């Protein structure tokens, strides 16, 4: 529902997909008598209560974008940030297909628009990302106007927060210090929200920084890496690529 965080949306959609696949197997995998068919039709949900499949897919992809894009940017700028593979294979597959297409034009379908929003989020352009994702027509399929309004407000806040995290992952090392007021102005967030978000990133070792309370600045701490550190990063990248290649080979042979 409105206000549900993206991690919960992603896990619910994954569980829903598994349940739907099981129901399809049950529906078409066994013969039924006419009486059983009539009883099953009486138990079916009325059409006006069906979930819109485009809405389900968009919720899944938007949740995956908000979860995975900051992680992907962190890995691309700092190999030490690698903490497992990309959790959402569907998003990775769609983005790989999008990257391999040399003649990609302006986004047209819902999936193309979401991927374009993900690319804007990678660049830290939260306004463009917001315009893409909030401009999707599928939000009209939510059950009420109030629900659609609350969902849009929640997405606005989440996009700006994840854009701030992406900005710190990508460009934090280029600064000696960042003003709390400036970050709040750049991403149009309240100062307490920015302070809480940056503090959480510090506690989770996502950024090497500390607070300078008198000036209200985030002081970035640069770490010089040793040769062994660089070699360890290269090894971890090679192992990650090997694991992804094995996954693709497994999916190509046995399917998911």
């Amino acid at each position: 529902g409105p206000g549900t965080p993206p991690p919960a949306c992603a896990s619910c959609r994954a569980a829903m997909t598994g349940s739907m696949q099981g129901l399809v197997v049950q529906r078409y995998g066994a013969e039924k008598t006419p009486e059983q068919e009539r009883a099953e039709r009486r138990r079916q949900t009325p059409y006006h209560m069906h979930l819109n499949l485009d809405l389900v897919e968009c919720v899944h992809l938007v949740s995956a974008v908000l979860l995975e894009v900051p992680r992907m940017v962190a890995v691309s700028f700092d190999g030490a940030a690698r903490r497992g593979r990309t959790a959402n294979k569907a998003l990775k597959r769609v983005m790989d297909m999008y990257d391999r297409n040399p003649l990609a034009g302006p986004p047209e379908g819902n999936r193309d628009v979401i991927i374009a929003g993900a690319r804007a989020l990678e660049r830290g352009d939260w306004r463009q990302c917001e315009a893409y994702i909030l401009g999707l027509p599928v939000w009209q399929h939510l059950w009420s106007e109030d629900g659609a309004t609350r969902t849009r407000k929640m997405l606005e806040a989440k996009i700006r927060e994840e854009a701030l995290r992406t900005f710190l992952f990508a460009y934090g090392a280029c600064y000696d210090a960042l003003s709390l007021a400036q970050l709040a102005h750049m991403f149009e967030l309240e100062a307490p929200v920015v302070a809480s978000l940056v503090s959480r990133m510090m506690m989770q070792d996502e950024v090497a920084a500390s607070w300078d309370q008198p000036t209200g600045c985030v002081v970035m701490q640069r770490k010089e890496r040793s040769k062994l550190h660089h070699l360890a990063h290269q090894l971890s990248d090679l192992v990650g690529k090997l694991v992804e290649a094995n996954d693709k080979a497994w999916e190509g042979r046995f399917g998911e």
Side-chain angles (χ1 to χ4, degrees), residues 3-65:
T4 305
C9 290
S11 60
C12 289
R13 202 274 182 180
M16 184 186 301
T17 303
S19 300
M20 290 168 63
Q21 291 175 349
L23 290 175
V24 169
V25 172
Q26 293 177 13
R27 172 67 179 84
Y28 295 101
E31 295 291 335
K32 290 190 172 103
T33 64
E35 291 78 9
Q36 290 175 331
E37 290 283 352
R38 286 193 291 270
E40 183 177 343
R41 290 196 191 95
R42 286 195 296 268
R43 290 194 301 268
Q44 288 177 353
T45 305
Y47 180 77
H48 69 280
M49 297 178 66
H50 287 185
L51 287 174
N52 185 278
L53 296 182
D54 289 337
L55 179 61
V56 172
E57 182 184 25
C58 287
V59 168
H60 173 221
L61 289 177
V62 170
S63 301
V65 164

Side-chain angles (χ1 to χ4, degrees), residues 113-164:
V113 171
I114 293 173
I115 297 303
R119 293 307 184 195
L121 185 61
E122 283 183 333
R123 300 189 303 268
D125 188 356
W126 63 267
R127 289 184 176 87
Q128 188 65 47
C129 177
E130 216 174 70
Y132 277 128
I133 291 180
L134 297 184
L136 288 169
V138 295
W139 306 124
Q140 301 173 0
H141 295 293
L142 290 173
W143 54 92
S144 66
E145 185 175 348
D146 179 62
T149 302
R150 286 189 291 161
T151 300
R152 288 175 182 272
K153 289 183 178 179
M154 184 269 292
L155 285 174
E156 287 179 2
K158 291 296 181 184
I159 289 172
R160 296 176 189 186
E161 290 174 8
E162 297 305 322
L164 172 58

Side-chain angles (χ1 to χ4, degrees), residues 222-254:
R222 299 182 181 180
K223 297 181 179 179
E224 295 296 332
R225 299 192 180 100
S226 64
K227 184 177 180 180
L228 178 61
H229 203 163
H230 282 289
L231 292 175
H233 288 172
Q234 293 176 6
L235 177 61
S236 67
D237 290 338
L238 291 175
V239 171
K241 292 178 181 179
L242 177 62
V243 171
E244 290 179 0
N246 287 340
D247 285 346
K248 289 181 180 178
W250 177 273
E251 292 173 5
R253 183 171 181 180
F254 300 103

Side-chain angles (χ1 to χ4, degrees), residues 132-228:
Y132 277 128
I133 291 180
L134 297 184
L136 288 169
V138 295
W139 306 124
Q140 301 173 0
H141 295 293
L142 290 173
W143 54 92
S144 66
E145 185 175 348
D146 179 62
T149 302
R150 286 189 291 161
T151 300
R152 288 175 182 272
K153 289 183 178 179
M154 184 269 292
L155 285 174
E156 287 179 2
K158 291 296 181 184
I159 289 172
R160 296 176 189 186
E161 290 174 8
E162 297 305 322
L164 172 58
R165 296 182 69 238
T166 305
F167 173 80
L168 291 177
F169 285 138
Y171 308 112
C174 301
Y175 295 88
D176 292 324
L178 291 164
S179 169
L180 174 63
Q182 181 64 24
L183 289 175
H185 175 73
M186 286 174 58
F187 296 94
E188 297 185 6
L189 292 169
E190 297 292 334
V193 175
V194 175
S196 174
L197 185 61
V198 175
S199 298
R200 186 164 63 248
M201 293 178 69
M202 292 178 186
M203 289 187 292
Q204 295 175 351
D205 292 330
E206 293 179 335
V207 292
S210 60
W211 280 110
D212 184 19
Q213 296 295 341
T215 60
C217 292
V218 183
V219 180
M220 309 303 296
Q221 300 172 1
R222 299 182 181 180
K223 297 181 179 179
E224 295 296 332
R225 299 192 180 100
S226 64
K227 184 177 180 180
L228 178 61

